[in-house]
Structure formats: structure tokens, C-alpha cells
Amino acid sequence: MSEPAVCAAEEQNDYSLCENCAVTLGEDDQVKDSNGGCRACCGILDHYLQPHFISRILQCVTDFNCDVPAFSLSLRMPEVVFLAYFLHQNLHQSHKFSIDTKFCPVKEVYKDLLCEKLKEVSPDIVDHTSVATINIEFSVDAPNLFTECFSHGTMAKKNGRKRTFEERTRNKAGVISRNDFVQMVNSCIDCSKSYSPSLKCFSLAKASVYITVESVFIGGRYLKYSRTLSQTPWFIDGKRKGDFSVEELISNPMKKLAGSDESFFRSSGREDIDARMLGSGRPFAIELVNPSKTKYTEEELSELAREISSSKKVEVRHLHLVEKSLLSHLKDGEMEKKKKYCAILFSEEPFSEDDLAKLTVDEEFSIQQKTPIRVLHRRPLSTRPKVIYNMRCERLDERHLALYLCTEAGAYVKEFVHGDLGRTRPSVCSLLGRVVDIVQLDVADVLLQWPVQA
């Protein structure tokens, strides 16, 4: 549907009002047939309440195909609409007033009238508590509007010096904030000078309509069975490494099911690309942005888990809907949780029974870890104390051991084994008094309660 044409009456300085503006301004006798050209509301209270625009809104709802039956309303109007209303009120009323940044009669009146029009067609379509929203954004083309209408307006700096509107926007391409706008209008009102701003600089409003839905969060735990799979997409010097990531393998099927625009991945920590994630899995949550599907049955979530797990690279368990307020539990748990590991160690010199005894500790002890060399490019240099709660080992053959340990979150296990050139103390190397290397590492479990109940 095309936007309304500029009213020809304006060329004759005929400031006619639409019916709704006349009622709002208390000037019923000023009502004229503006043909969608009312400049007090930039056509909003006239053209955008007609049946063709109501049909446009309903078609937008139909096209989005959301499983939410009712919608709240969100309106965005530019400051130009405030100014248009102010100028017409100044023209049609003799008393002085002060504009309020928190209240725009055009916006409030339009919202009430639009609700009535929508309910006439679909009685249950409006619910101001709904998670889905019909968004209507109005724009008005008026490039020289502020400089023409505010030629007498000034604005005070903190030091008391007055600034003209041109000074205020000299380096901001004419952009003005809501608060500055109100100051300028009220400054114009306070001026004793008489001026008659031209309303030819007002064009009629254009509108865009779109649907948004509050994000849906699906949480669970994932296991990773590949030693070549990064948790998130991995880039080095702008080049992608690997075809997939844990995030993509989990989020892509979810986005497809939800009809979501995009997603955000959250997890309680991360494992190295060459480490598997075993045990009960790592807690995670996916935020699905602007989904058309917001409701899920247990059967749908179970089927979703089977689809994700069919890749054989990852497995997801315990999928469930998560309240946004519970996501902080994931972040807080990053540094509060305990983690279990299984590391395969290698030594050129055969491991003795005495070596096994030294690596079997039932009581917790502390280690000091400088930021590992391998992460210095992305982590600040510092020394962090970490706790090893217990550890035990199992001989695999003369030169290989399986070391099982439970650590504080954030401990670097690889560096605890080989010592990182003395940057981690004590280490397995320092405890045994010789070089010991790590062959492979698995995260055996993440001890964090997830899912949690609201």
C-alpha cells in the first residue's frame, strides 16, 4: 500500500486537522477532510487507522506464523511527531504549555485507537502481557525541520553559555536526543519573539510493521566425543578451522525447529578442542532469538535431542526450557564448580610403585599457576592459585598411566602435568622429579547442578 500523498491544501497554508487530532487538541470546529494529510499527527491518526493498514498488520501476523495467539503492541515515533503536535497546538491554542518527553498525545491516542480497530477484526489479538509483539515504527522525512523551527531556540550548557540548535548539532549531522529536543522546544516556548514556522517541512509519516517474539532458552548437557571439534566456530587469521563446532551441531537443528532468526550459545566453561567431554556432560543453554515456535512438548525435545545426537560427534541430554533468570547459574558455575579429569601420562622411564604412590592423594592441595604460554595471547599474565581436591592413578603399561583428578574450575590440567617450563608448581613433573608428558585428556565430569528449577 502506498503512503499518503502530501496534501495540496498545505501549499495554501491550510493547516487542516484530521478528526482525531481535532478531538485531541480540543478544536472540533477545525476539522477538515485532510485526505490523510493532517500535519498535526503527520497522518498517523488518519491514514494509519484505515482498513488497508489494519489488513497490513494482520497479514504481517499471518506471515510470521507464530504459535502465540495474541500480541502486545510497541510503537516508535520520531521526535518530529512531538514537534508537529507542538506546532499545531501552538497554532490552534493561545495558552502556553510545556512539552513532556514522557508523553506524546499522538502516540497514546494512536495506540488506543489501533487496539480498538484490531479488536474489531480479531477480538483476542491484543494481549499486553504477551511474549509476542507487533512493532510499528514510524519515520518522517524532515531534513531541515529542526533548524527551521528552532531558529529562535537555545540550550544552556552546564557553564551557562547558550547554544543555538546549529551549534548543538554541528558535528552530529543534525541528530538530536530526546532530552535535548524537549529543552529546545521549551526554550522556543519561553522566547518572547513571535515566529511562524513553515509546516511545509513536514512530510507524512511512513510505517514499517514487523513481529518480534521474546527469546526462548533451551538448556541441557552435552557430551563431545571428537578430539578435532571446537566448542565454538574457530578462526585463525580470518580463516575457518574445522567444518563444525559443538555450538553449530546443537544450535542449527534448534533454530530450524523454532523458526528462529539467530541463536546464542552459553555454556559452563569449555574444553580444549582435543579433549573429549564425557560423564554427565557439560551444562549449556541456547538462546533462540525471535522464534515463531515458543512451546515444546517433552516428545518434541526428546526428538530434537535424538536428531542432534545422530551426528555421533556430540550427544545432548536433558533438554528442557529454561527461564532467562536461571542463566546466571551457568556463568556463576564457571568458577564455582568442580571438574573431574582423566589424563593419560607418558614417561620415557618406567613408572614405579613409588611414582604411583606420589600421584595418589586423598586430601586437597593447592598449586600456583602462571597464565600458560599457550593462552598468553588471549589471557592476561597473572599467577592464579588453584585447588586439586584429590587424585589417583592407574597403570596402563610400564610407561603409561591414567591419572584421575578432581580440580577447582579454571585449573589447567595439561600444565599441571608437564609443568609448563616451571610456570605451574607443584606439577606431576616436579612431584616425580623427571619429565612426564600428557598424551590425551578427557573431561570426565562437570559437577554443577543443571538443569535447575526456578
Side-chain angles (χ1 to χ4, degrees):
M1 178 62 63
S2 61
E3 306 298 338
V6 175
C7 181
E10 187 183 76
E11 296 298 329
Q12 305 171 9
N13 208 31
D14 185 357
Y15 303 140
S16 60
L17 300 176
C18 67
E19 180 178 356
N20 290 317
C21 279
V23 172
T24 304
L25 289 166
E27 299 288 344
D28 297 51
D29 58 340
Q30 297 287 337
V31 177
K32 296 183 180 180
D33 183 9
S34 63
N35 296 317
C38 174
R39 292 302 190 272
C41 63
C42 299
I44 292 173
L45 294 181
D46 188 4
H47 181 81
Y48 291 105
L49 288 172
Q50 299 301 320
H52 65 81
F53 190 67
I54 303 302
S55 297
R56 178 179 163 188
I57 294 174
L58 296 176
Q59 186 61 49
C60 185
V61 170
T62 301
D63 293 344
F64 192 79
N65 194 28
C66 181
D67 62 359
V68 178
F71 299 80
S72 60
L73 292 176
S74 174
L75 306 179
R76 294 188 64 182
M77 295 187 183
E79 277 69 23
V80 172
V81 178
F82 284 77
L83 180 57
Y85 188 83
F86 155 66
L87 292 175
H88 277 273
Q89 189 170 22
N90 210 29
L91 286 169
H92 288 270
Q93 297 182 10
S94 58
H95 68 275
K96 290 193 173 184
F97 69 100
S98 177
I99 192 168
D100 184 354
T101 184
K102 297 180 180 179
F103 177 70
C104 175
V106 176
K107 182 175 182 179
E108 300 303 321
V109 171
Y110 180 75
K111 190 170 187 177
D112 290 342
L113 293 176
L114 181 61
C115 284
E116 293 178 8
K117 295 287 185 180
L118 290 172
K119 288 180 179 179
E120 288 176 4
V121 181
S122 181
D124 299 323
I125 194 172
V126 178
D127 178 1
H128 297 298
T129 64
S130 176
V131 298
T133 302
I134 298 172
N135 300 271
I136 303 176
E137 291 191 8
F138 291 102
S139 61
V140 178
D141 295 328
N144 301 317
L145 176 65
F146 289 106
T147 54
E148 181 167 348
C149 294
F150 289 152
S151 58
H152 298 283
T154 59
M155 189 184 310
K157 271 188 173 181
K158 290 184 179 180
N159 60 14
R161 187 178 73 82
K162 299 290 185 178
R163 295 175 295 166
T164 65
F165 177 79
E166 288 83 352
E167 290 176 323
R168 173 66 182 82
T169 61
R170 180 174 298 152
N171 297 320
K172 295 191 176 182
V175 176
I176 186 170
S177 70
R178 176 70 64 85
N179 289 335
D180 286 348
F181 166 76
V182 173
Q183 290 182 42
M184 291 296 293
V185 172
N186 289 330
S187 175
C188 287
I189 296 170
D190 294 335
C191 284
S192 58
K193 298 178 181 180
S194 174
Y195 68 98
S196 178
S198 170
L199 298 186
K200 294 179 182 179
C201 53
F202 287 94
S203 62
L204 298 182
K206 297 179 181 179
S208 61
V209 182
Y210 58 95
I211 306 298
T212 56
V213 182
E214 291 182 10
S215 294
V216 169
F217 299 88
I218 297 180
R221 302 181 79 105
Y222 77 80
L223 292 86
K224 178 170 82 83
Y225 300 123
S226 170
R227 297 192 186 277
T228 60
L229 186 66
S230 60
Q231 188 191 64
T232 56
W234 187 24
F235 294 86
I236 297 179
D237 296 329
K239 295 183 178 180
R240 174 74 185 256
K241 300 294 183 180
D243 297 328
F244 301 101
S245 65
V246 172
E247 174 185 349
E248 291 165 312
L249 290 173
I250 295 175
S251 63
N252 287 346
M254 288 188 178
K255 286 194 294 183
K256 182 179 178 180
L257 177 63
S260 175
D261 295 339
E262 60 180 329
S263 64
F264 296 99
F265 180 83
R266 295 174 171 84
S267 67
S268 184
R270 64 171 61 220
E271 64 283 334
D272 291 337
I273 187 172
D274 58 351
R276 295 184 300 178
M277 179 65 239
L278 305 176
S280 62
R282 184 179 299 278
F284 76 93
I286 299 286
E287 177 182 358
L288 298 168
V289 180
N290 205 32
S292 57
K293 181 177 177 60
T294 63
K295 302 170 184 176
Y296 301 85
T297 64
E298 290 186 8
E299 290 75 14
E300 287 175 320
L301 292 177
S302 296
E303 178 58 33
L304 181 61
R306 284 192 289 271
E307 179 183 354
I308 295 171
S309 302
S310 65
S311 70
K312 306 300 182 182
K313 297 177 182 292
V314 297
E315 177 185 348
V316 293
R317 300 175 179 174
H318 311 301
L319 291 186
H320 61 290
L321 292 176
V322 180
E323 294 291 336
K324 184 177 181 179
S325 60
L326 299 178
L327 295 181
S328 60
H329 190 68
L330 280 179
K331 187 67 177 178
D332 295 343
E334 282 189 19
M335 301 310 297
E336 296 175 1
K337 63 182 180 292
K338 296 180 180 180
K339 298 168 70 175
K340 291 184 177 181
Y341 294 92
C342 175
I344 305 301
L345 312 185
F346 170 78
S347 172
E348 289 286 354
E349 182 181 335
F351 289 107
S352 65
E353 290 299 324
D354 187 48
D355 292 335
L356 271 64
K358 290 178 180 178
L359 297 181
T360 301
V361 181
D362 294 329
E363 297 181 355
E364 66 180 54
F365 62 95
S366 295
I367 61 175
Q368 299 293 321
Q369 289 195 306
K370 283 187 178 180
T371 304
I373 295 172
R374 63 187 172 97
V375 299
L376 269 177
H377 65 286
R378 57 185 172 89
R379 296 282 175 86
L381 176 62
S382 64
T383 299
R384 301 174 180 86
K386 295 296 177 181
V387 176
I388 307 296
Y389 293 102
N390 57 69
M391 64 180 183
R392 65 180 180 84
C393 58
E394 177 183 333
R395 188 194 300 274
L396 301 179
D397 58 41
E398 286 188 345
R399 292 179 173 80
H400 290 88
L401 288 182
L403 179 67
Y404 302 94
L405 61 164
C406 180
T407 75
E408 179 184 359
Y412 292 99
V413 176
K414 291 178 180 178
E415 283 67 25
F416 171 65
V417 173
H418 58 63
D420 198 27
L421 302 178
R423 299 168 67 86
T424 293
R425 300 192 65 86
S427 65
V428 171
C429 286
S430 66
L431 291 173
L432 300 186
R434 66 174 185 275
V435 175
V436 177
D437 208 351
I438 182 168
V439 176
Q440 66 182 36
L441 177 67
D442 292 328
V443 183
D445 213 349
V446 176
L447 304 181
L448 177 70
Q449 183 183 356
W450 185 263
V452 295
Q453 301 298 320

